[in-house]
Amino acid sequence: MQNQPTSLPFHPLAHRSSRVLAPLSVLEKMRVFSLESVIEDFEASTKEAADVQRETLRRILEENAEAEYLQSLGLAGRTDPESFKACVPLVNHQDLEPLIQRIADGDASPILTGTPITSMSLSSGTTQGRPKLVPFNEELVKSTMQIYRTSYAFRNKEFPTGKGKALQFIYSSKQFRTNGGLTATTATTNVYRSEQFKNTMKDIQSQCCSPDEVIFGSDFHQSLYCHLLSGLIFSDEVQLISSTFAHSIVHAFRTFEKVWEELCADIREGVLSSRITVPAMRDAMSKILKPNPNLADSIHDKCVGLSNWYGVIPQLWPNAKYVYGIMTGSMEPYLKKLRHYAGDLPLMSADYGSSEGWVGANVNPSLAPEFATFAVLPDIAYFEFIPLGEKSEEQMLEQSPSMMHYTELEPVGLTEVEIGKEYEIVVTNFAGLYRYRLGDVVKVAGFHSSTPELRFICRRSLLLTINIDKNTEKDLQLAVEEATKLLAAEKLEVVDFSSHVDISTDPGHYVIFWELNGNAREDVLSSCCDCLDRAFLDAGYVGSRKVRTIGPLELRVVQRGTFQMILDHFLSMGAAVSQFKTPRCIGQSNSKVLQILNSNVTDRYFSSAYD
Ligand code: AMP
């Protein structure tokens, strides 16, 4: 195999396959990285998924037996799943907040974990409008590396990359100190800062072509410019283009459309644009930037030869094998634009996890992103699955809006899930989260040996609900997709979108915000508005619209650049571009974002779909 590392020394533990009895530590594996052994380990653990899960739970509970939280629940040293479920309640982030706050305030006693937590991750918090703190420790770095290596091993079997670099649009975020002096930054930044990250990137031939000063730069716009410039300087060596979430890649190329001539000028003269003002970034870029008129000419010619930037990625990076990043869930709306930029290059969807911990790896890389699945790694955490079923209408009326979508049943184990059914994931992991509800809905698409392959469906929380209507992020996405078809004939596209429930009117109504890449005719937008209204197929919505207990849907068109302002707003609050997900529904708690949107509205349309 092309990427078999021949120079690495043989390690006697490398082929010890049973992870149940003697788990090979990730550190040991790192020194003996070979694609075959990564796949072997994965196959061994997924074959015995049920046993590996029991063993993983035992290790988690034993390692953290001293933790105050576990002590208080009366497990008394028991580590079997039955006792665990009987003693430990299901929790969400809110339930744990007081304990997490104590850790953040500097209480160094073992609260959630046996070994006290010394740093925190800030999750993107784009849904709630504020980042939330979650415990972070080395175990999360290890599982991140394990996931990266596993999916790479499978990816590389089908799409081998040669020796080279990766154009990675990755950005660290600011680092804070909590009241108690713990460092707090986004999970991705915690990972990029770890030593293991660099080694893994080397092993999986994905070394970033930009200097560290660019990744860790203090200004996102400048970092983005320098990533593009570095990518162009090393264009012959670049083997793949990636980012954590697809949004960052699309954003990078939308920016490229605006700055490509400036980038060419920098390369021609060998002088960095004056827009880069961060000294460390300037120094680092100056070291790799040399006058190269030939390269500048070639980039220039390629760019002017493109039609509306179709296929810009393979044109400029002829040795790139694929584009890689999370493309599922809230990233799906960016796929169309990404495909446009990627031309004939395959798009490969990256793995599934969260700041709280990893869930699964994409081990079927050739599936189109729309069908991507994630094989759960049974040794990174203990997983449970709450089966979800539709509720009857009376049940729905009795519930609070956030819980009314599904009937709740007892969680089942990893190997007990059924193909075709939907579940909410519950995680117990080495970072001190026990029976923690991730809040995501997944569907079991199949099995890899005895571990399920999950398809990401959506966040569990409802986005749009006024009375008995219930629409998720996915429903909103489908409605927007339907309505944007009407824009295609006008050669227009929706740059980004969001929504809001406006109950200041009586009755309340849905508001959809659109940013377009050009001016659309009024009659076209008016039809889009009607189409959006009709595209929410949920029976509660349709019924309510017919009897007018929900008012006509409103489409608000916002100025170009409005969603960039939203991104900047989140960055100013400490979010990282690498983890940014456009908030798809703006609640009252997100008043700043609502204000940004509303103050940039240029046109409003009300649906006449149910008149
Ligand atoms: P964060 O806490 O900021 O890391 O965001 C974690 C959330 O991002 C998860 O709970 C998911 O909702 C979403 N997410 C992460 N990975 C994926 C993926 N591969 N596909 C779809 N959504 C994902």
Side-chain angles (χ1 to χ4, degrees):
M1 181 177 268
Q2 185 181 354
N3 289 296
Q4 193 63 25
T6 46
S7 58
L8 290 170
F10 173 71
H11 189 292
L13 296 177
H15 297 289
R16 202 164 63 178
S17 59
S18 168
R19 306 210 59 186
V20 179
L21 297 173
L24 186 61
S25 89
V26 175
L27 274 176
E28 281 171 313
K29 267 199 304 184
M30 293 184 80
R31 279 181 273 124
V32 294
F33 181 67
S34 93
L35 297 175
E36 268 86 6
S37 67
V38 170
I39 292 180
E40 255 173 44
D41 277 353
F42 172 78
E43 298 295 3
S45 72
T46 55
K47 205 161 143 202
E48 311 287 348
D51 288 350
V52 175
Q53 278 282 277
R54 266 185 172 265
E55 175 60 12
T56 305
L57 180 64
R58 184 191 65 73
R59 282 175 47 217
I60 294 171
L61 296 181
E62 270 180 19
E63 279 181 26
N64 297 311
E66 297 304 311
E68 175 190 316
Y69 181 69
L70 285 180
Q71 296 257 330
S72 73
L73 297 169
L75 270 170
R78 286 170 297 167
T79 61
D80 60 288
E82 295 70 28
S83 310
F84 174 68
K85 286 185 193 181
C87 297
V88 182
L90 291 166
V91 293
N92 57 31
H93 191 268
Q94 249 177 348
D95 301 322
L96 292 184
E97 252 165 26
L99 292 175
I100 293 179
Q101 196 53 52
R102 268 179 57 205
I103 299 172
D105 288 343
D107 181 342
S109 60
I111 296 176
L112 282 170
T113 44
T115 312
I117 294 285
T118 53
S119 48
M120 291 280 178
S121 288
L122 284 167
S123 83
S124 57
T126 37
T127 331
Q128 281 81 30
R130 67 186 171 97
K132 50 179 192 185
L133 285 175
V134 295
F136 181 83
N137 66 7
E138 272 305 296
E139 293 293 338
L140 288 174
V141 177
K142 285 188 198 168
S143 58
T144 309
M145 299 310 128
Q146 189 182 344
I147 284 265
Y148 283 179
R149 285 158 185 268
T150 305
S151 60
Y152 172 77
F154 282 90
R155 205 159 61 244
N156 210 58
K157 272 206 308 197
E158 290 179 53
F159 303 89
T161 49
K163 259 201 160 340
K165 296 185 191 298
L167 169 51
Q168 294 200 52
F169 295 101
I170 56 176
Y171 310 87
S172 84
S173 58
K174 291 191 194 108
Q175 198 161 349
F176 294 92
R177 289 225 170 252
T178 65
N179 291 342
L182 277 69
T183 58
T185 185
T186 49
T188 37
T189 305
N190 274 323
V191 168
Y192 302 151
R193 283 190 188 283
S194 72
E195 225 167 83
Q196 297 183 40
F197 179 70
K198 276 235 154 71
N199 292 335
T200 300
M201 289 299 120
K202 233 182 255 170
D203 285 346
I204 68 173
Q205 307 206 338
S206 306
Q207 273 176 288
C208 188
C209 58
S210 315
D212 274 1
E213 290 79 356
V214 172
I215 303 171
F216 297 105
S218 53
D219 179 297
F220 156 66
H221 301 281
Q222 296 188 30
S223 292
L224 167 52
Y225 185 89
C226 292
H227 275 316
L228 288 167
L229 187 56
S230 307
L232 292 171
I233 294 171
F234 296 106
S235 50
D236 283 344
E237 292 173 56
V238 168
Q239 295 286 313
L240 65 127
I241 318 291
S242 75
S243 75
T244 312
F245 285 105
H247 170 265
S248 307
I249 307 180
V250 170
H251 188 266
F253 284 97
R254 287 195 195 277
T255 307
F256 182 80
E257 289 187 26
K258 292 188 202 133
V259 299
W260 69 279
E261 282 172 303
E262 202 172 329
L263 289 163
C264 281
D266 288 7
I267 293 172
R268 188 178 310 282
E269 308 294 332
V271 179
L272 189 61
S273 157
S274 59
R275 70 161 74 216
I276 308 304
T277 55
V278 176
M281 229 189 279
R282 278 202 78 85
D283 284 355
M285 287 306 295
S286 304
K287 285 192 190 119
I288 58 169
L289 180 64
K290 302 279 171 305
N292 191 341
N294 288 343
L295 179 60
D297 284 344
S298 136
I299 296 168
H300 183 274
D301 293 350
K302 285 174 177 171
C303 287
V304 294
L306 290 170
S307 159
N308 192 25
W309 301 101
Y310 177 81
V312 59
I313 298 179
Q315 266 299 319
L316 295 179
W317 290 279
N319 296 317
K321 309 293 185 295
Y322 51 82
V323 176
Y324 184 63
I326 292 174
M327 298 171 189
T328 35
S330 59
M331 294 298 133
E332 266 186 45
Y334 306 106
L335 271 177
K336 196 166 166 222
K337 193 69 183 171
L338 194 55
R339 283 212 166 91
H340 181 84
Y341 288 133
D344 54 3
L345 268 190
L347 299 186
M348 257 166 250
S349 197
D351 311 312
Y352 168 39
S354 69
S355 304
E356 287 91 338
W358 284 97
V359 177
N362 178 0
V363 298
N364 299 310
S366 51
L367 289 179
E370 288 86 347
F371 303 103
T373 59
F374 309 98
V376 180
L377 269 61
D379 55 354
I380 51 171
Y382 181 72
F383 296 99
E384 293 170 76
F385 294 81
I386 302 175
L388 303 173
E390 290 285 322
K391 283 203 151 176
S392 70
E393 210 139 289
E394 302 108 79
Q395 274 177 313
M396 283 197 308
L397 287 170
E398 287 161 14
Q399 302 285 324
S400 68
S402 66
M403 300 307 280
M404 75 184 178
H405 202 188
Y406 298 106
T407 317
E408 206 140 285
L409 301 166
E410 276 300 297
V412 298
L414 178 70
T415 54
E416 292 158 359
V417 295
E418 291 175 45
I419 293 180
K421 297 230 163 114
E422 291 190 1
Y423 300 88
E424 178 187 347
I425 304 188
V426 176
V427 175
T428 296
N429 69 16
F430 291 93
L433 299 175
Y434 310 96
R435 308 199 83 199
Y436 182 94
R437 300 171 75 140
L438 272 188
D440 289 338
V441 178
V442 294
K443 188 179 205 159
V444 179
F447 279 87
H448 184 104
S449 292
S450 58
T451 204
E453 292 185 326
L454 308 175
R455 189 158 288 157
F456 182 88
I457 301 295
C458 57
R459 297 286 302 163
R460 179 164 180 188
S461 52
L462 288 179
L463 284 189
L464 294 165
T465 175
I466 291 177
N467 45 53
I468 57 161
D469 53 316
K470 46 186 169 58
N471 284 297
T472 63
E473 180 165 357
K474 185 85 190 172
D475 299 316
L476 171 65
Q477 182 199 323
L478 293 174
V480 170
E481 268 172 23
E482 198 52 39
T484 42
K485 287 182 188 155
L486 303 176
L487 290 173
E490 308 288 304
K491 296 221 176 328
L492 283 172
E493 56 193 66
V494 175
V495 174
D496 224 326
F497 63 93
S498 192
S499 68
H500 171 63
V501 167
D502 187 349
I503 45 166
S504 67
T505 54
D506 188 21
H509 68 287
Y510 290 5
V511 176
I512 310 293
F513 294 97
W514 270 9
E515 178 177 324
L516 301 172
N517 68 339
N519 295 329
R521 293 201 323 266
E522 269 181 29
D523 58 318
V524 173
L525 286 171
S526 177
S527 318
C528 288
C529 182
D530 289 359
C531 179
L532 280 168
D533 204 2
R534 256 188 238 107
F536 286 102
L537 299 175
D538 158 57
Y541 183 74
V542 175
S544 302
R545 283 288 290 117
K546 282 186 181 152
V547 298
R548 297 193 158 67
T549 48
I550 294 181
L553 180 143
E554 181 183 353
L555 172 62
R556 294 185 194 162
V557 180
V558 295
Q559 288 187 45
R560 280 306 309 261
T562 303
F563 279 84
Q564 174 70 50
M565 288 183 215
I566 293 175
L567 173 62
D568 288 339
H569 163 70
F570 278 104
L571 297 187
S572 73
M573 298 206 321
V577 183
S578 291
Q579 267 172 262
F580 182 73
K581 298 170 222 54
T582 300
R584 295 290 182 214
C585 182
I586 318 293
Q588 289 305 338
S589 63
N590 234 340
S591 56
K592 177 70 193 158
V593 177
L594 201 53
Q595 187 202 329
I596 296 173
L597 284 166
N598 281 331
S599 55
N600 283 288
V601 170
T602 54
D603 297 299
R604 287 159 183 253
Y605 298 86
F606 282 93
S607 155
S608 54
Y610 290 90
D611 284 359

